[in-house]
């Protein structure tokens, strides 16, 4: 009897492989790149400098996955910086989001006494609503057409939990999801910088601006992962690559085989059932099942022969939206830059936010709607060498800059070859405004465009979450209505990546949920 095959060694693929191995199924993981990790990797960006090339903060990961994979015992050092986030103001001040609500409220007081008073209530509301939604994240979305008894029972439990939220929170939950996050934060706070730093969580990684309807839902989903308004700043010593290397080790020890440099060209299908894969070098590998960690578009439009799929299903997958808008600029620096308003270098250990008000964020988005690169982009920054100085030569640093908006599809007459320099220049201009003189510290720049995200890292459309986390592509509709239970129309072919529920960042939620369903069916 052959083993199940997992296509891709992203953190979700590794999680699924780990649980399949624990169930005695001996999976084979095939990764096209030379290293494991997918979007959670640490790579050398210049001689002596290594950097989280893509993601720099971690979901956070589900605690049960951390425990089951024994990641701490494998040497994974999770760092929880405090403050988590420092939002920079153009007037030279900064707003620090600590894990301690009262301490954050005190820093808000310097901007607005009224906002400082409201902040604790906002935090506790987010924690309650996030707590309710966290229960949904763990679930396999129910079948809407033919729910089984177990699914009906689960839905009943969800209904009970919803009722226990009470009237006010229940109403908030229903109302906030479809709202624009800009309206949502304006109902709570008057300080521009505070509004913008919180609203950014509702648009991070999406093709939406703060005034887009439905960004309230993205904020709430993020609250289900971590309710603190500043978001998660869990970092890993050595970067996310150290995490995914340990996850691969856990999967191997449990009985999985993990092969790198093994790009899958096709899923073999016989009589409507997945029977294995064919690699790009022509090697055929039989498998008892095939689980794809690649995104839904890549899986169905590149790896499956269209003749095997119903035209209606194919049309829906073609309409599955994954318009990437994010890019990365990674810098090798000769020294630690000095940011306006950040007197204590300890405050640089978490993330830094550049995007001072809602209008700034919306203008940054506006450019991308018409295929333009934001002249004044929204930036989310980390300096990983503060956690692990060995990532650069002594006294030197790497800086990881997440950039939004950089649309995958540029306006007619433009391409990412010329766009790359424009993007780098606009990021450096924005950085220089908050850290004057930073340009003189730059020894090397790595710019990763949405086109690179697709070509090098395998993300269709350059979308960082394998598809837009919008209301029409969530829960029972992720990736598409009728196929949210990790199964596909091809028997024996499953999905386990971020394009499935609950998706989003590095939480391992999709990989763990998918494994549960696959084990049940196998
Ligand atoms: C620039 C950027 C910044 C981000 N920032 C954050 C952040 O700060 N915090 C956070 O939590 N999340 C962040 N994310 C999102 C997060 O990294 C992803 O959502 C998550 O890593 C997806 O994991 P995955 O395992 O589902 O897929 P992936 O990590 O994409 O893994 C899929 C794997 O499949 C492989 N593959 C694809 N096709 C084939 C094939 N044909 N054959 C073999 N292998 C194949 C790919 O090479 C890849 O290794 C960021 C992502 C990006 C791109």
């Amino acid at each position: 009897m052959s083993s199940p095959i997992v296509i891709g060694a992203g953190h979700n693929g590794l999680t699924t492989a780990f649980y399949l191995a624990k169930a005695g199924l001996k999976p084979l993981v095939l990764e096209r790149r030379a290293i494991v990790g997918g979007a959670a990797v640490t790579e050398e960006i210049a001689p002596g400098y290594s950097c989280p090339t893509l993601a720099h903060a971690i979901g956070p990961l589900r605690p049960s996955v951390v425990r089951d994979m024994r990641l701490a015992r494998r040497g994974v050092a999770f760092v929880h910086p405090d403050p988590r986030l420092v939002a920079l103001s153009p007037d030279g001040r900064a707003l620090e989001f600590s894990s301690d609500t009262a301490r954050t409220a005190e820093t808000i007081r310097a901007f607005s006494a009224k906002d400082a008073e409201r902040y604790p209530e906002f935090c506790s509301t987010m924690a309650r609503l996030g707590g309710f939604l966290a229960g949904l994240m763990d679930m396999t979305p129910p079948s809407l057409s033919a729910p089984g008894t177990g699914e009906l029972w689960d839905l009943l439990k969800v209904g009970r939990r919803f009722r226990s939220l009470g009237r006010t929170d229940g109403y908030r939950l229903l109302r906030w999801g479809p709202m624009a996050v800009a309206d949502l934060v304006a109902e709570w706070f008057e300080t521009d910088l505070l509004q913008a730093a919180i609203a950014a969580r509702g648009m991070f990684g999406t093709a939406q601006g703060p005034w887009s309807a439905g960004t309230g839902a993205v904020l709430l989903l993020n609250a289900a992962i971590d309710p603190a308004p500043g978001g998660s700043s869990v970092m890993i010593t050595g970067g996310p690559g150290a995490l995914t290397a340990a996850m691969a080790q856990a999967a191997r020890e449990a009985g999985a085989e993990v092969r790198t440099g093994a790009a899958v060209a096709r899923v073999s299908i016989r009589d409507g059932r997945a029977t294995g894969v064919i690699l790009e070098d022509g090697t055929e590998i039989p498998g008892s099942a095939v689980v794809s960690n690649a995104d839904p578009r890549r899986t169905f439009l590149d790896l499956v022969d269209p003749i095997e799929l119903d035209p209606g299903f194919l049309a829906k997958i073609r309409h599955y939206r994954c318009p990437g808008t994010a890019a990365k600029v990674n810098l090798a620096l000769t020294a630690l830059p000095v940011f306006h308003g950040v007197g204590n270098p300890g405050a640089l250990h978490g993330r830094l936010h550049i995007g001072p008000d809602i209008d700034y964020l919306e203008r940054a988005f506006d450019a991308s709607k018409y295929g333009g690169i934001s002249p004044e982009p929204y930036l989310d920054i980390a300096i990983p060498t503060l956690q692990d100085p060995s990532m650069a030569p002594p006294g030197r640093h790497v800086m990881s800059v997440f950039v939004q908006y950089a649309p995958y599809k540029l306006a007619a007459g433009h391409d990412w070859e010329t766009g790359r320099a424009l993007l780098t220049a606009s990021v450096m201009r924005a950085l220089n405004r908050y850290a004057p003189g930073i340009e003189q510290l730059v020894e090397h720049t790595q710019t990763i465009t949405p086109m690179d995200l697709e070509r090098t890292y395998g993300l269709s459309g350059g979308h960082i979450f394998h598809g837009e986390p919008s209301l029409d592509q969530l829960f029972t509709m992720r990736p598409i209505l009728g196929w949210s239970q990790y199964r596909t129309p091809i028997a024996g072919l499953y999905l386990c990546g971020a394009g499935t529920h609950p998706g989003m960042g590095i939480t391992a939620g999709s990989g763990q949920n998918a494994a549960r369903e696959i084990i049940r069916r196998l």
Side-chain angles (χ1 to χ4, degrees):
M1 176 71 176
S2 52
S3 305
I5 293 171
V6 178
I7 305 174
H11 84 287
N12 277 316
L14 292 169
T15 302
T16 301
F18 167 79
Y19 286 108
L20 295 186
K22 291 273 283 181
L25 292 165
K26 295 195 178 309
L28 168 65
V29 183
L30 300 168
E31 167 57 46
R32 57 192 268 284
R33 295 197 73 216
I35 54 169
V36 301
V41 281
T42 308
E43 294 172 277
E44 192 170 67
I45 60 163
Y49 292 90
S50 50
C51 189
T53 4
L54 304 182
H56 49 222
I58 304 299
L61 218 55
R62 275 191 184 167
S64 54
V65 172
V66 175
R67 211 175 37 242
D68 294 347
M69 287 189 155
R70 300 181 183 185
L71 293 174
R73 273 202 243 161
R74 293 178 196 283
V76 178
F78 293 93
V79 182
H80 299 265
D82 203 4
R84 295 165 169 237
L85 178 77
V86 177
L88 303 170
S89 167
D91 66 9
R93 292 188 295 168
L95 191 53
E96 294 187 2
F97 290 81
S98 156
S99 297
D100 183 299
T101 304
R103 203 168 338 133
T104 309
E106 276 324 295
T107 75
I108 294 173
R109 196 171 296 283
F111 291 79
S112 157
K114 203 169 138 207
D115 286 352
E117 296 305 319
R118 295 218 75 189
Y119 186 74
E121 193 194 335
F122 181 72
C123 290
S124 54
T125 305
M126 278 295 167
R128 289 192 305 276
L129 300 190
F132 169 78
L133 291 171
L136 298 187
M137 308 287 254
D138 293 346
M139 277 174 75
T140 296
S143 157
L144 294 184
S145 51
T149 324
E151 289 171 314
L152 288 173
W153 181 242
D154 285 345
L155 279 176
L156 190 70
K157 283 195 278 190
V158 171
R160 281 212 192 116
R161 287 184 50 240
F162 182 78
R163 280 194 65 176
S164 73
L165 273 177
R167 238 171 209 247
T168 309
D169 280 347
Y171 175 59
R172 279 172 170 156
L173 193 65
L174 295 177
R175 186 172 158 266
W176 287 0
M179 269 174 87
V181 73
D183 283 327
L184 201 167
V185 292
E187 287 188 359
W188 285 85
F189 305 115
E190 60 185 13
T191 306
D192 287 338
L193 185 60
L194 179 60
Q195 288 183 356
I198 296 174
R201 286 192 94 193
M203 33 171 275
F204 184 93
T206 72
Q208 299 169 71
W211 288 110
S212 305
T215 39
V218 183
L219 181 70
L220 290 169
L221 273 184
N222 275 305
I225 298 167
D226 185 338
S232 164
S233 289
V234 177
M235 312 255 179
I236 306 286
T237 306
L243 169 70
T244 43
M247 292 177 104
Q249 188 194 48
R252 283 189 177 110
E253 265 177 34
E257 183 186 344
V258 182
R259 265 188 232 167
T260 53
V264 171
R266 269 271 184 266
V267 175
S268 313
I269 298 165
R270 196 168 306 133
D271 301 329
R273 165 168 282 281
T275 55
V277 298
I278 304 172
L279 299 186
E280 276 181 3
D281 67 7
T283 312
E284 282 201 52
I285 307 178
S288 56
V290 177
V291 185
S292 178
N293 179 201
D295 64 73
R297 284 180 73 96
R298 181 170 285 260
T299 303
F300 295 111
L301 303 182
D302 293 350
L303 304 182
V304 172
D305 188 337
I307 203 140
E308 302 290 350
L309 292 165
D310 169 70
F313 177 85
L314 265 178
K316 286 181 192 150
I317 289 292
R318 287 203 185 98
H319 292 151
Y320 176 71
R321 287 172 298 106
C322 38
T325 58
K328 272 303 295 288
V329 172
N330 297 318
L331 302 173
L333 301 172
T334 53
L336 191 63
V338 176
F339 284 88
H340 272 326
V342 188
N344 164 23
L348 295 177
H349 285 240
R351 289 158 38 242
L352 298 168
H353 164 95
I354 292 182
D357 55 54
I358 294 288
D359 286 349
Y360 177 103
L361 297 176
E362 185 70 13
R363 273 196 298 272
F365 169 57
D366 281 344
S368 73
K369 281 191 290 195
Y370 310 107
I373 298 164
S374 308
E376 294 192 304
Y378 150 55
L379 306 180
D380 186 273
I381 304 164
I383 308 177
T385 30
L386 290 173
Q387 270 93 44
D388 183 356
S390 75
M391 292 170 80
R396 300 185 174 224
H397 289 277
V398 286
M399 187 187 270
S400 167
V401 185
F402 174 87
V403 189
Q404 221 168 300
Y405 294 80
Y408 172 79
K409 208 167 165 198
L410 288 174
H414 299 268
D415 61 48
W416 271 113
E417 282 324 302
T418 44
R420 188 184 302 275
L422 278 177
L423 174 70
T424 313
S426 88
V427 169
M428 289 314 300
R429 261 196 322 272
L431 284 176
N432 211 46
R433 213 162 296 138
Y434 294 85
I438 190 171
E439 278 154 324
Q440 278 82 56
L441 306 179
V442 177
E443 199 172 297
H444 178 80
T445 306
Q446 178 192 44
T447 299
I448 299 174
T449 70
M451 203 51 80
D452 299 326
L453 290 180
E454 181 172 78
R455 289 185 186 151
T456 310
Y457 297 94
L459 299 162
S460 293
H463 203 293
I464 77 164
F465 296 133
H466 289 199
E468 225 14 37
S470 48
L471 281 170
D472 61 322
Q473 297 192 162
L474 289 175
F475 199 49
T476 50
M477 291 180 280
R478 193 160 187 86
I480 58 172
L481 192 61
W483 298 104
S484 60
Q485 299 187 321
Y486 313 96
R487 286 180 301 123
T488 74
I490 311 279
L493 175 63
Y494 300 90
L495 295 178
C496 72
T500 63
H501 172 77
M504 303 298 283
I506 306 168
T507 66
S510 292
Q512 193 186 39
N513 285 7
R516 187 181 58 224
E517 287 305 311
I518 297 164
I519 291 165
R520 208 164 58 81
R521 284 170 197 280
L522 289 186

